[in-house]
Amino acid sequence: TGNHWGYGKEDGPSVWHNNYPVAQGNRQSPIDIIPQQASHDPSLGPIVLNYDQCTSTNISNNGHSVVVEFDDSDDRSVIQGGPLDNPYRLKQFHFHWGGKGCHGSEHTVAGNSYASELHLVHWNAVKYRTFGEAAAAPDGLAVLGIFLETGDDHRWLHTITDALYMVKFKGSVTDFKRFNPKCLLPSSLQYWTYLGSLTTPPLHESVTWIVLKEPIIVSDKQMGKFRLLLFSGEEEDQRKRMENNFRPPQPLQGRKVRSSN
Ligand SMILES: CCc1cc2c(cc1OS(N)(=O)=O)CC[C@@H]1[C@@H]2CC[C@]2(C)[C@@H](O)CC[C@@H]12
Ligand SMILES: [Zn+2]
């Protein structure tokens, strides 16, 4: 179909601009973050996450990633502080990862990529009525990016990786209640922040990115379970393993990356 996109040779990031011209815009994501070039901004306060009342609802495979959705009908789970002028409501989180033994983060740090990257997606419910409306507005979304590095088993990631077999195929969804993503945070909330975009079509330039400096550690075995997911639906005869679902870094176009203290 016309707007079908993916991560392969024919439909991947290098051709997205054909259907989504904004792919060549001036605030695209991800980017390569160069720590020495980031400017320390003393006015940047700490990030504050209030996830305690959080209400996850389901986990699903949307054919591009695995997504955990939250009930965003009120301000139970919000991110605020840092570069944000008001609280942004938690809507979903999802991951991007590489193939076996390959790295698959979207943002890179001084040219180095991590095994995977977790995106916690929040929207500006103070200014916009719906997530879709916010997703198209320049100050509509705030995405918290967390790098995953391989090492020891992550104590809490099992809750997610143990559920992945239930959402193997594109379009599958299953209940996933009472998961609090606070358990996926590293010990430090030090971050870089810059203005960017969605990293998948429609690539709207609507995201205030907040990328944590400290990665979380997960095991190769846990990462391997993400690769049991498929890009393809149950009815498709060709099974395509879900991996390398990341967009490479995009031109900075003169943007400033700021660093928390
Ligand atoms: C920020 C997380 C997010 C949201 C969306 C996408 C992709 C996203 O992941 S990412 N990697 O953070 O950019 C692609 C589909 C988008 C959706 C935002 C809302 C929409 C734009 C809908 O209105 C129609 C298509 C949707
Ligand atoms: Zn993402």
Side-chain angles (χ1 to χ4, degrees), residues 7 65 92 94-96 106 117-119 121 143 199-200 209:
Y7 291 96
S65 180
Q92 53 112 305
H94 61 272
F95 298 82
H96 303 264
E106 298 212 296
E117 187 170 331
L118 161 60
H119 289 160
V121 178
V143 183
T199 65
T200 75
W209 280 96

Side-chain angles (χ1 to χ4, degrees), residues 45-203:
I47 290 294
V48 179
L49 297 168
N50 296 315
Y51 286 167
D52 295 339
Q53 311 292 321
C54 90
T55 44
S56 62
T57 54
N58 65 48
I59 186 168
S60 66
N61 174 336
N62 65 10
H64 308 296
S65 180
V66 57
V67 187
V68 172
E69 298 263 11
F70 289 81
D71 168 4
D72 60 345
S73 55
D74 64 28
D75 270 349
R76 249 174 296 194
S77 307
V78 296
I79 184 173
Q80 55 197 329
L84 305 173
D85 295 340
N86 52 255
Y88 282 59
R89 209 176 272 181
L90 179 64
K91 168 75 179 162
Q92 53 112 305
F93 68 76
H94 61 272
F95 298 82
H96 303 264
W97 60 91
K100 188 168 169 33
C102 304
H103 283 179
S105 67
E106 298 212 296
H107 290 90
T108 55
V109 180
N112 299 309
S113 59
Y114 285 86
S116 172
E117 187 170 331
L118 161 60
H119 289 160
L120 288 141
V121 178
H122 311 75
W123 62 285
N124 189 340
V126 167
K127 273 186 79 174
Y128 305 102
R129 249 174 359 89
T130 65
F131 175 64
E133 191 188 333
D139 59 350
L141 300 180
V143 183
L144 184 65
I146 300 176
F147 293 121
L148 278 65
E149 187 176 285
T150 47
D152 292 337
D153 242 27
H154 189 283
R155 167 84 185 73
W156 304 105
L157 193 67
H158 281 292
T159 326
I160 293 173
T161 52
D162 289 350
L164 298 180
Y165 77 96
M166 290 189 271
V167 287
K168 188 179 175 70
F169 296 102
K170 173 180 175 181
S172 48
V173 56
T174 190
D175 268 5
F176 196 74
K177 303 264 195 261
R178 287 176 304 286
F179 181 80
N180 186 334
K182 221 168 174 67
C183 64
L184 297 177
L185 299 176
S187 50
S188 161
L189 291 183
Q190 292 299 332
Y191 61 89
W192 294 289
T193 183
Y194 77 97
L195 296 179
S197 72
L198 300 183
T199 65
T200 75
L203 298 169

